[in-house]
Amino acid sequence: MNVVEGERSSIVDKWTPAMAVVVANIATGSVNAVVKKALDGGVNHMVIGAYRLAISAFILAPLAYFLERKIRPKITFRLLIDHFISGLIGGSLAQFFFMLGLAYTSANVAGAFTSMMPAITFALSLILRMESVRVLKSKSGMLKVIGTLICVSGAMLLTFYKGPQITHFHSHPEALHNNNNNHQSKTNNWLLGCLFSAIGVTFFCIWMLFQETLNMKYPCKYTSICLMSVFGSVQCALLSLYKRRTVNDWVIDDRFVLFVIAYAGIVGQAMTTVATAWSIKKLGAVFASTFSPIMLISATLFDFIISHTPLYLGR
């Protein structure tokens, strides 16, 4: 009986981190779709970033206090600097470039670049010597290289090849017309948006590798992500000044935008970041990043359902 229970426990321990990162990627894809719709309305993308990180900190603060107060190590100045860097890389800069790219392209194209996360993370881990170069000579190493090439090729295909339209919204002609006009007006910025998305994803990959090291120094996931969210929120507020310096940007009276901010803060930031950080701790940054293509599927489906974005053969 004890043997059976032990086997069940082993299976749960093995699959739970993988399922957590799968759910996190599905949730992130849905967040990207609704954020894209809000950005099309003219909202400053860094205002959304600042609010979602602030909400994340507000949600995680009580969890961090009650669940980790007995096991939480002392916060040193070095740890504060580490969490400031974590907020800068994974919070403010990643969101700054990724949501800027999202504004210029679409949720499914931005999601395509998240599919490059395994490739970028693997390449960075080799450059930073977090993964041995000798692994390239092994069977698993060769498979990782092949997977890297597939990731990059797929993202380039989604970027440069559109293909024929395979869906039509006869019942929503106005939405389709507006979407086509919006697409045409941003054609010239398409490649620029892809570049911004790639930079944003690269910052997130750097954060995943940094988080793997930070988890060893500071294993309290709720407190760690809460501190990251606090620093990231302030950084996003400062980065928002690059676009417009008006108080009106921070006054949100649109109910849909308020829903997007709340949803992005609770689901897209607090829940998914904690789940991702915990999965990185259990699986490692490179393996956790291999589930990122799920985000592309999720973003495409939610973008199709919410924004009525037409689907094309190439995408």
Side-chain angles (χ1 to χ4, degrees):
M1 189 70 173
N2 290 333
V3 175
V4 174
E5 290 179 357
E7 289 178 353
R8 288 178 180 175
S9 177
S10 178
I11 292 172
V12 171
D13 291 341
K14 182 179 179 180
W15 286 101
T16 301
M19 292 305 298
V21 77
V22 166
V23 173
N25 278 287
I26 293 173
T28 303
S30 68
V31 169
N32 289 344
V34 295
V35 167
K36 167 62 179 174
K37 193 170 181 65
L39 291 174
D40 287 344
V43 181
N44 187 328
H45 69 290
M46 278 294 94
V47 170
I48 293 180
Y51 276 138
R52 70 184 283 181
L53 283 163
I55 291 172
S56 172
F58 180 78
I59 294 295
L60 294 175
L63 293 175
Y65 178 77
F66 289 109
L67 298 179
E68 297 176 339
R69 58 180 176 176
K70 294 182 179 180
I71 60 172
R72 183 168 46 241
K74 182 181 179 181
I75 300 289
T76 63
F77 180 74
R78 177 55 190 271
L79 282 172
L80 283 176
I81 295 297
D82 286 342
H83 284 95
F84 177 87
I85 295 172
S86 178
L88 183 66
I89 298 172
S92 55
L93 289 178
Q95 289 198 78
F96 179 84
F97 287 105
F98 186 79
M99 284 203 286
L100 196 58
L102 185 63
Y104 285 143
T105 56
S106 64
N108 56 349
V109 172
F113 283 92
T114 63
S115 298
M116 293 180 64
M117 282 173 57
I120 297 172
T121 306
F122 179 59
L124 288 173
S125 66
L126 288 174
I127 294 170
L128 299 174
R129 297 186 177 181
M130 298 179 72
E131 185 121 5
S132 176
V133 179
R134 287 180 296 180
V135 76
L136 297 178
K137 298 179 181 179
S138 64
K139 186 177 180 180
S140 62
M142 291 301 297
L143 289 173
K144 287 181 179 180
V145 172
I146 294 171
T148 297
L149 294 175
I150 291 173
C151 282
V152 175
S153 300
M156 292 302 99
L157 177 67
L158 282 162
T159 302
F160 296 108
Y161 177 69
K162 187 174 182 179
Q165 185 174 330
I166 59 176
T167 59
H168 299 276
F169 276 98
H170 297 294
S171 59
H172 300 278
E174 184 179 350
L176 182 58
H177 176 71
N178 291 336
N179 190 44
N180 287 336
N181 288 339
N182 186 52
H183 173 74
Q184 291 171 3
S185 67
K186 294 183 178 180
T187 299
N188 295 332
N189 293 324
W190 190 262
L191 291 178
L192 187 61
C194 291
L195 175 63
F196 287 144
S197 296
I199 294 173
V201 168
T202 301
F203 271 117
F204 191 75
C205 292
I206 295 172
W207 174 81
M208 293 185 77
L209 294 171
F210 184 80
Q211 188 65 34
E212 187 172 0
T213 303
L214 185 57
N215 280 335
M216 299 177 186
K217 297 180 183 179
Y218 199 79
C220 300
K221 56 183 179 295
Y222 295 112
T223 305
S224 183
I225 302 303
C226 182
L227 287 172
M228 168 196 164
S229 298
V230 170
F231 284 123
S233 180
V234 176
Q235 293 159 0
C236 282
L238 293 175
L239 285 171
S240 71
L241 300 177
Y242 97 98
K243 191 174 182 180
R244 290 192 301 267
R245 302 182 181 183
T246 172
V247 179
N248 292 333
D249 283 352
W250 297 89
V251 180
I252 308 295
D253 53 8
D254 187 287
R255 290 186 178 181
F256 176 73
V257 177
L258 288 173
F259 162 77
V260 169
I261 291 173
Y263 183 68
I266 298 170
V267 177
Q269 195 66 43
M271 294 174 58
T272 60
T273 309
V274 169
T276 302
W278 180 68
S279 299
I280 291 171
K281 182 179 179 180
K282 296 290 185 179
L283 305 174
V286 175
F287 189 77
S289 69
T290 59
F291 293 91
S292 59
I294 295 172
M295 192 188 305
L296 168 61
I297 300 171
S298 174
T300 302
L301 290 175
F302 279 101
D303 197 31
F304 175 71
I305 294 169
I306 296 171
S307 299
H308 307 300
T309 301
L311 295 181
Y312 297 90
L313 183 62
R315 298 190 183 130

